[in-house]
Structure formats: structure tokens, C-alpha cells
């Protein structure tokens, strides 16, 4: 995950690190997905931001396919926090605040750790800074990210419950069964499972 920016050849008085994250492995290489941007797209935006700050990117931290709901479970985030304790860094650049944290508690803890190390958090797409208005915006965006995360979890759970209540299944069929699509009397397509005639007897035998 270590990558030196092309800014490394430019003379600058400031240093920066960048943090990139997507929730799925697929988003790590593809662009324009529902998590906002792929890793390459985030990298490009963060590099442009560093240029505008006249800063050299000295280290990059990438959590590819890691959920933002728990800071403790993201190894590159933890490595980044350890890095700023040992090295002089002026800026930590993220594409959006929700790349850094999806809970208000994590956001406060991460921001405090960066501040303690003298690092200014910068978002490429949100107007946050250390001014009162910037801190207010930071708090609002952090709260919105937490709401989105919790609401999405509720919607997914609601969808799974609704699917099960209609007789559908919510996981891939186990060996001995197969996934099928069934159309009900009003034309709705429902995914369910049925016994796999070719393999069921082998499972029973095993």
C-alpha cells in the first residue's frame, strides 16, 4: 500500500499523507461505484489537493475492502495513526470524511489523534478547517455519515426480513440445493431454493 506521490520530485515545505478506503474489494480497482469513488479516483483527487496545498505526499494508507464502521478493524488506519506519532506531517488528506470514519465517536477519536500529532485533516470534497465554521461543518458531515451508515444497515435488515417473509432465501443455497427464481401469482419474481436433484443424493450419502 505504500506509494510515493509524483510530487516527490517537487520542492515543498509541507508534507502530507493520504488515506484511501472503499468498503468492497471490487471498488478497490473500479471507478464510479456506490461508495463514491474507487481507490484510483480517490488517489487522483487527493494528489490534486496536495498540489493545491504545495505539499509533498510522503506516505499513502489504503484500506481496500474494509468497512468504515469500526476504526479498530482497519489495519491501514491504525498504521497511519502510528505513523503520525513518529513522523512530522502537516496534512492528512481524505477524499471525504466518511472515508475516515462512519461513526461520530471514531471521527472524534481519529481527529483528536491527528491534532495531538500536529496534523491538519483535509477533505478534497468538503470545506472543513480549524475555524469555528469549519469545525461546525466537520461535525455536521460526521453526523450525516453516521446516520447514512446506520440507516443503510436498517434498510438491509428490513429487506432481508421482507424477502424471508415472502418465502425467499437471503443467502446462497448450500450444497444439495440450488437457487431458483419463482414468479408468484401477481408476477413478482422471488428468489428461493429447491433441492438439487443431481447432487442431493450425494450429500445424503456423504
Amino acid at each position: 500500500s505504500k506509494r510515493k506521490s509524483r510530487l516527490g520530485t517537487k520542492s515543498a515545505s509541507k508534507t502530507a499523507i493520504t488515506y484511501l478506503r472503499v468498503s468492497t474489494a471490487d471498488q478497490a480497482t473500479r471507478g464510479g461505484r456506490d461508495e463514491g469513488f474507487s481507490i484510483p479516483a480517490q488517489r487522483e483527487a487527493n494528489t490534486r489537493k496536495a498540489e493545491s496545498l504545495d505539499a509533498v505526499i510522503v506516505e499513502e494508507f489504503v484500506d481496500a475492502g474494509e468497512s468504515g464502521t469500526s476504526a479498530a478493524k482497519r489495519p491501514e488506519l491504525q498504521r497511519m495513526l502510528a505513523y503520525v506519532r513518529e513522523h512530522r506531517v502537516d496534512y492528512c488528506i481524505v477524499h471525504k470524511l466518511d472515508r475516515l470514519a462512519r461513526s461520530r465517536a471514531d471521527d472524534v477519536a481519529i481527529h483528536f489523534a491527528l491534532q495531538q500529532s500536529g496534523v491538519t485533516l483535509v477533505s478534497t470534497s468538503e470545506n472543513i478547517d480549524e475555524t469555528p465554521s469549519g469545525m461546525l461543518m466537520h461535525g455536521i458531515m460526521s453526523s450525516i455519515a453516521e446516520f447514512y451508515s446506520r440507516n443503510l444497515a436498517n434498510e438491509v435488515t428490513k429487506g432481508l426480513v421482507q424477502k424471508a417473509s415472502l418465502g425467499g432465501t437471503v443467502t446462497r443455497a448450500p450444497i444439495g440445493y440450488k437457487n431458483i427464481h419463482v414468479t408468484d401469482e401477481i408476477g413478482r419474481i422471488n428468489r428461493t431454493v429447491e433441492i438439487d436433484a443431481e447432487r442431493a443424493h450425494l450429500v445424503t450419502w456423504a
Side-chain angles (χ1 to χ4, degrees):
S1 297
K2 296 181 180 179
R3 182 184 296 269
K4 302 297 182 182
S5 167
R6 63 174 180 267
L7 296 178
T9 58
K10 177 183 177 182
S11 176
S13 59
K14 300 292 186 179
T15 59
I17 56 174
T18 66
Y19 179 75
L20 319 174
R21 181 185 65 80
V22 288
S23 295
T24 68
D26 179 61
Q27 292 166 339
T29 55
R30 297 189 182 185
R33 303 307 295 269
D34 58 358
E35 278 288 328
F37 289 91
S38 66
I39 291 295
Q42 290 180 47
R43 177 179 294 121
E44 181 180 351
N46 289 1
T47 299
R48 289 197 304 268
K49 188 65 175 180
E51 290 175 341
S52 73
L53 295 169
D54 192 29
V56 171
I57 297 176
V58 294
E59 188 63 276
E60 177 182 279
F61 303 87
V62 182
D63 277 316
E66 301 291 344
S67 171
T69 56
S70 174
K73 295 181 180 179
R74 287 182 277 155
E76 283 292 281
L77 173 62
Q78 297 305 316
R79 190 171 74 85
M80 183 187 79
L81 296 178
Y83 182 90
V84 298
R85 290 193 294 267
E86 302 294 331
H87 301 80
R88 186 186 73 82
V89 176
D90 295 297
Y91 302 109
C92 173
I93 303 174
V94 296
H95 179 255
K96 290 180 66 177
L97 289 175
D98 66 5
R99 301 302 83 204
L100 197 61
R102 279 285 180 87
S103 79
R104 196 71 184 98
D106 278 348
D107 177 78
V108 170
I110 294 168
H111 192 206
F112 179 75
L114 292 173
Q115 285 183 319
Q116 288 293 98
S117 298
V119 182
T120 299
L121 178 63
V122 177
S123 168
T124 67
S125 54
E126 295 149 338
N127 187 24
I128 61 168
D129 52 37
E130 300 301 319
T131 65
S133 59
M135 294 299 292
L136 174 62
M137 179 61 70
H138 185 157
I140 291 172
M141 298 308 298
S142 175
S143 296
I144 289 173
E146 182 173 63
F147 167 78
Y148 174 83
S149 180
R150 293 188 176 187
N151 188 62
L152 180 61
N154 288 340
E155 290 301 311
V156 169
T157 300
K158 185 164 60 178
L160 295 178
V161 171
Q162 176 69 11
K163 185 176 181 180
S165 70
L166 294 174
T169 56
V170 297
T171 61
R172 186 174 180 176
I175 296 175
Y177 296 84
K178 61 182 179 180
N179 294 97
I180 62 170
H181 295 74
V182 177
T183 303
D184 65 16
E185 64 278 1
I186 61 174
R188 293 179 303 184
I189 297 176
N190 192 36
R191 296 181 179 88
T192 186
V193 298
E194 68 177 11
I195 293 177
D196 184 346
E198 295 182 6
R199 297 182 179 180
H201 69 285
L202 298 175
V203 176
T204 302
W205 173 82

